[in-house]
Amino acid sequence: MKGIRLVEYSPVLLVMIIVLVLSLHMHWQGDAVAFSFFIPAENEDFSSIQLKNVWDIWPSMCNHWHNSTGRFFTHAIVQLFCAFIGKTGFAICNALVWGGLIFMLMTMSKLKSWGFSLVSLASLLTFILFFPLNNFYEQSFPFEPPHQINYVWMGLWNLIWINIFLSDKEEKRNWIFLITLAVFSFLGGQSNESFSIPIGGAILVYAFHHRFDMPIRRYVMAISYGIGTLLVIFAPGNFQRIGYSEGWSLTHTAEGLLPGLLIPLFFLLTLVVNRRKERSIHDVVKTDYGLFFFTSIIINFMLGIGLGMGSGVRMLTCANLLIIILILFQVGILKINPFAGVVMMSCLIVMGMYRYNAITRLNYKNTTIEKLYHESNDGVVVLPDELFLRQVREFIVRPHPYMMKERAINPSKPNIAIRPMSMMSLPLERDTNILLPLSDQAWLMIQSKTTPATFKIHKTLLPGLLDRQLAERHIYWNDAYSVFDSTELWRAAIYINERPYLHSNITIDE
């Protein structure tokens, strides 16, 4: 009997092993480095001041809440692992959380019994949710503390909260129990706005539906969760970030939503396949679970589409976790061939191997930059053009993580300046306008300040099919991809065409 149960839950164990290996393999960079240092009070930037003990996290997070984002609870956990516990401890905890998340999804689907194939499906869907489909060169959910804790860990936290809130178990009037629930609920609401906003909306709909006639336990949980949600939304740092954000684009949001729409499409497929009346989705719609789930999903999709900021897959995590539960509910009555489970486990292994290779590429980039910066005297890091293009956005958004480790060793080190190899052969000492291709669809543009040239971009829609020329437009120098330190006479920027349905070309008029 134990052997059968071990085989049944082997997909969960496989996911935990994959997550453990990927978490150990990933070189910490970006936010994972930044969160190992103290966050100052004056602005969003992190410092090179090491956190001395865990008590330093509290003032650091107070500054973070005021300057950057409202998630002080989630990011306090991030700082704990980044500054003190380290990679091995995080990897073990992360693997356990992934296992707990899959078991929570299965539990909330209300299935009476499980089989190997259904557990395989739950494991595969969970892994797909956090797999980058919109950009194969970037890690949409890196296997390091900031992203894993923000979404995977807080996803599990909020699923547990929903399960307790909707539970029909006998009501407890114990004050210690209610206080514990209040704290747990407050931290759940404070965890991540992409969870707390849709769940908070569902709480209001649920309360109105029941005319605010709820047990004391639900009142305590709802009010506490709501307070946490308001605190994470109305943090001063959120409004500062809105003011300078360059990423609020519906075009980018729509592209980022592709991974987030994959699981809903699979859910629609289960509706077509499962036409039996027993245990159909109609049985869920009429229940409190259905009201809560569908309200959260609708609000989360509205939030993801309207405020996706190019990361729709992250914004839709809450909705897709609940949709996975509905998928499992639907599929639970179907008899799935065990061979399908073997196929799904094979897919998990292939996806894990792909992520391992992607992390290896990312590690090479980051360790190369760190090594070259450490060896430089002037802070200039020269990269091959192809490697430079793969890291340009990360450098624009957050160059300081590359500086923190070095400045802890050498405080007088100049700021890092990452440049492509092709740039180093250009006559940058004179007042100049230069257009230099770095690849087929990427260009380095240097514009004179005293005699600026006009850079024009020409786009063709679907070459070979429609071959339609789009309207010519000029490139302006408030471009978010400006990545180099300016001299007195010139400034530089990068333009990259990322849309496969467009072919671009840039010309220069002096």
Side-chain angles (χ1 to χ4, degrees):
M1 191 69 175
K2 291 183 179 179
I4 295 176
R5 300 293 288 182
L6 181 61
V7 171
E8 181 178 345
Y9 292 110
S10 58
V12 181
L13 181 61
L14 175 62
V15 170
M16 293 173 66
I17 293 172
I18 291 173
V19 169
L20 177 67
V21 172
L22 296 180
S23 300
L24 289 172
H25 179 53
M26 187 160 193
H27 175 71
W28 284 7
Q29 187 45 247
D31 285 357
V33 173
F35 275 107
S36 64
F37 293 90
F38 184 81
I39 303 172
E42 56 271 14
N43 53 46
E44 181 194 359
D45 289 338
F46 293 75
S47 66
S48 295
I49 303 171
Q50 298 280 357
L51 290 164
K52 297 184 179 67
N53 53 63
V54 295
W55 307 115
D56 287 343
I57 294 178
W58 171 251
S60 178
M61 283 296 103
C62 289
N63 295 338
H64 191 53
W65 180 82
H66 188 272
N67 299 328
S68 181
T69 177
R71 305 174 197 169
F72 65 77
F73 165 63
T74 306
H75 289 174
I77 302 174
V78 172
Q79 284 213 295
L80 180 66
F81 278 94
C82 290
F84 300 108
I85 298 178
K87 183 185 289 187
T88 302
F90 166 74
I92 294 171
C93 293
N94 197 37
L96 293 172
V97 169
W98 272 78
L101 179 63
I102 297 171
F103 273 113
M104 197 67 217
L105 291 168
M106 294 188 299
T107 300
M108 292 181 69
S109 67
K110 304 296 183 180
L111 292 175
K112 296 180 180 179
S113 62
W114 283 94
F116 169 72
S117 295
L118 282 174
V119 178
S120 298
L121 177 61
S123 302
L124 181 61
L125 289 175
T126 305
F127 203 82
I128 287 175
L129 175 58
F130 299 104
F131 191 80
L133 298 176
N134 57 328
N135 193 327
F136 292 106
Y137 291 102
E138 296 180 3
Q139 296 288 309
S140 292
F141 283 92
F143 281 86
E144 32 83 290
H147 292 83
Q148 294 289 305
I149 293 174
N150 265 288
Y151 296 94
V152 182
W153 293 35
M154 293 303 109
L156 175 59
W157 189 289
N158 280 275
L159 286 185
I160 294 173
W161 185 91
I162 293 173
N163 198 46
I164 296 174
F165 182 79
L166 297 178
S167 173
D168 293 326
K169 290 183 179 179
E170 184 177 346
E171 193 73 18
K172 291 185 179 181
R173 299 283 181 149
N174 186 295
W175 284 106
I176 296 178
F177 174 73
L178 292 177
I179 292 173
T180 302
L181 280 183
V183 173
F184 179 78
S185 301
F186 170 78
L187 296 179
Q190 217 284 321
S191 62
N192 187 320
E193 61 274 11
S194 61
F195 288 104
S196 57
I197 293 176
I199 292 175
I203 292 172
L204 286 176
V205 172
Y206 177 89
F208 274 108
H209 178 72
H210 287 271
R211 298 181 181 180
F212 293 91
D213 182 17
M214 299 187 297
I216 184 64
R217 166 176 57 87
R218 290 181 181 170
Y219 265 114
V220 169
M221 293 182 70
I223 294 173
S224 302
Y225 194 96
I227 294 173
T229 301
L230 293 176
L231 196 61
V232 75
I233 293 174
F234 291 104
N238 288 337
F239 299 95
Q240 295 181 32
R241 288 164 68 93
I242 291 174
Y244 64 72
S245 174
E246 297 285 351
W248 291 62
S249 166
L250 285 179
T251 302
H252 291 157
T253 299
E255 292 175 348
L257 288 177
L258 177 59
L261 294 176
L262 186 64
I263 290 176
L265 289 175
F266 190 82
F267 170 67
L268 294 178
L269 179 62
T270 63
L271 292 180
V272 175
V273 174
N274 181 19
R275 297 179 179 178
R276 298 172 58 173
K277 293 183 179 180
E278 58 175 304
R279 197 174 173 81
S280 70
I281 199 65
H282 299 289
D283 300 326
V284 179
V285 174
K286 302 173 184 178
T287 65
D288 286 343
Y289 268 86
L291 175 68
F292 204 93
F293 277 32
F294 284 106
T295 303
S296 299
I297 291 168
I298 292 170
I299 295 176
N300 197 203
F301 267 89
M302 293 172 61
L303 180 71
I305 294 171
L307 306 176
M309 297 171 60
S311 301
V313 61
R314 296 180 188 173
M315 299 300 291
L316 296 179
T317 304
C318 175
N320 281 300
L321 283 172
L322 298 178
I323 290 173
I324 288 175
I325 295 171
L326 297 177
I327 290 173
L328 297 174
F329 178 90
Q330 284 276 97
V331 177
I333 66 170
L334 303 176
K335 293 182 179 179
I336 305 178
N337 192 305
F339 178 73
V342 175
V343 172
M344 286 185 278
M345 286 192 70
S346 301
C347 291
L348 279 171
I349 294 172
V350 172
M351 293 170 68
M353 292 173 63
Y354 181 88
R355 289 303 297 270
Y356 188 90
N357 291 332
I359 290 173
T360 301
R361 291 195 302 268
L362 194 67
N363 288 350
Y364 171 73
K365 178 195 74 175
N366 288 326
T367 54
T368 299
I369 294 173
E370 289 176 4
K371 178 177 179 291
L372 293 176
Y373 182 50
H374 178 71
E375 294 172 351
S376 70
N377 294 320
D378 57 1
V380 176
V381 172
V382 181
L383 298 177
D385 294 353
E386 182 183 357
L387 184 59
F388 172 82
L389 289 174
R390 289 213 303 264
Q391 68 81 45
V392 62
R393 283 162 193 73
E394 179 179 335
F395 173 69
I396 296 162
V397 174
R398 186 156 291 193
H400 55 266
Y402 290 110
M403 302 185 295
M404 290 178 179
K405 294 178 184 177
E406 189 66 24
R407 284 190 170 172
I409 303 170
N410 183 3
S412 62
K413 190 80 160 186
N415 287 346
I416 188 171
I418 304 178
R419 297 174 178 173
M421 193 170 291
S422 297
M423 183 182 178
M424 306 313 293
S425 62
L426 300 180
L428 301 178
E429 71 280 0
R430 63 183 176 87
D431 191 4
T432 184
N433 294 289
I434 293 177
L435 176 64
L436 179 68
L438 296 179
S439 71
D440 179 52
Q441 290 291 289
W443 297 265
L444 168 64
M445 298 167 292
I446 295 178
Q447 186 186 54
S448 164
K449 285 188 176 181
T450 58
T451 57
T454 300
F455 291 83
K456 299 178 180 178
I457 180 168
H458 313 272
K459 294 186 178 182
T460 305
L461 180 64
L462 293 173
L465 293 178
L466 299 179
D467 198 28
R468 177 186 173 187
Q469 294 286 335
L470 301 183
E472 176 188 280
R473 69 179 180 88
H474 295 178
I475 296 176
Y476 296 99
W477 292 89
N478 59 351
D479 197 303
Y481 292 167
S482 299
V483 295
F484 306 111
D485 293 333
S486 297
T487 69
E488 293 182 358
L489 296 177
W490 61 270
R491 52 191 177 177
I494 292 289
Y495 180 83
I496 304 173
N497 175 38
E498 296 180 314
R499 292 168 172 80
Y501 50 85
L502 290 176
H503 183 81
S504 298
N505 188 37
I506 295 180
T507 59
I508 179 173
D509 291 342
E510 297 194 53

